[in-house]
Amino acid sequence: MHSPPLFDAPGSCVLAVGTYTEILPHVQGRGRGIHLLAFDGATAAFHERQVLTGPVNPSYLCAAEGRLYSVSEREQDAVLEIFAIEDGAAALRAAALRAVGRVAVPGAAPCHVSVNLPARQLYVSNYGSGELLCFALDADGLPLGAPQVIARRGAGPRADRQEGPHVHYAAATGDGAWVYLCDLGTDTIARHQVRPDGLAPAPARELRARP
């Protein structure tokens, strides 16, 4: 693999791109895994730095404090994988991902992951089974034990897509005090309070969107 020069032009950066590696009902996945790309802001060209072929359906990625978090979007045996981002900010030429952790994800089809740095928490949204998972993070950014499971109930008017809850996004406010989740299955946005030991099980407020 050819190593491009270190890019100094404005806009130059390193990107991690997740893909679907399996054919699923909603996507003809033929990806290879996670691609680490260097983008040259001067030429608008991408240079492939690394391909991790182990992860299965790493459909969503999240970077925080030198870690890259990946969820495998599978109906069974889903996992959360954690990679160290080595020298990504200092030198595009040396950027690399190194596996540092892997934990099982209860539920089905996790489709989103986010990190709440002030609270040292990580959230996984399970689209298939409709839960929000809350993992505590240690000082190295690795999950501590089993996650808290926030189960949801309800349905929406479209029987083909809203037969039950489908959580597909959850993220904290800037101060880390609240988490907002979006539930496609119930057309609802819910707000949960962040606690030292996890999240308040019941939302403090819910907004039901137009069906």
Side-chain angles (χ1 to χ4, degrees), residues 126-208:
N126 280 343
Y127 181 88
S129 49
E131 307 100 356
L132 173 63
L133 308 180
C134 174
F135 289 88
L137 296 178
D138 66 15
D140 293 323
L142 301 178
L144 286 167
Q148 177 190 14
V149 179
I150 304 291
R152 294 187 53 81
R153 293 174 177 82
R158 282 191 55 173
D160 60 333
R161 299 190 67 194
Q162 295 184 303
E163 78 295 341
H166 292 298
V167 179
H168 62 102
Y169 173 90
T173 53
D175 59 3
W178 300 92
V179 168
Y180 285 85
L181 70 82
C182 297
D183 183 349
L184 179 147
T186 63
D187 294 318
T188 300
I189 300 171
R191 184 179 74 171
H192 289 257
Q193 186 176 24
V194 176
R195 298 176 175 176
D197 59 347
L199 299 176
R205 187 175 183 182
E206 285 193 336
L207 171 66
R208 185 168 294 276

Side-chain angles (χ1 to χ4, degrees), residues 17-192:
V17 180
T19 66
Y20 285 97
T21 62
E22 296 179 332
I23 296 177
L24 302 174
H26 67 290
V27 63
Q28 295 295 307
R30 297 185 176 87
R32 296 166 62 194
I34 298 176
H35 297 251
L36 193 66
L37 309 176
F39 177 72
D40 184 350
T43 64
F46 290 96
H47 300 266
E48 189 171 83
R49 305 301 306 129
Q50 185 182 12
V51 181
L52 298 176
T53 58
V56 178
N57 296 337
S59 65
Y60 199 90
L61 310 174
C62 172
E65 281 195 329
R67 296 287 184 261
L68 182 75
Y69 300 90
S70 165
V71 288
S72 60
E73 191 170 328
R74 310 180 77 185
E75 291 295 326
Q76 296 180 341
D77 302 321
V79 296
L80 167 71
E81 298 185 76
I82 306 98
F83 304 90
I85 305 173
E86 299 187 326
D87 298 322
L92 303 186
R93 181 167 44 196
L97 298 175
R98 176 175 56 85
V100 293
R102 188 175 190 268
V103 298
V105 172
C111 67
H112 184 265
V113 57
S114 66
V115 173
N116 182 346
L117 289 177
R120 304 304 301 175
Q121 294 176 357
L122 178 144
Y123 312 115
V124 172
S125 299
N126 280 343
Y127 181 88
S129 49
E131 307 100 356
L132 173 63
L133 308 180
C134 174
F135 289 88
L137 296 178
D138 66 15
D140 293 323
L142 301 178
L144 286 167
Q148 177 190 14
V149 179
I150 304 291
R152 294 187 53 81
R153 293 174 177 82
R158 282 191 55 173
D160 60 333
R161 299 190 67 194
Q162 295 184 303
E163 78 295 341
H166 292 298
V167 179
H168 62 102
Y169 173 90
T173 53
D175 59 3
W178 300 92
V179 168
Y180 285 85
L181 70 82
C182 297
D183 183 349
L184 179 147
T186 63
D187 294 318
T188 300
I189 300 171
R191 184 179 74 171
H192 289 257

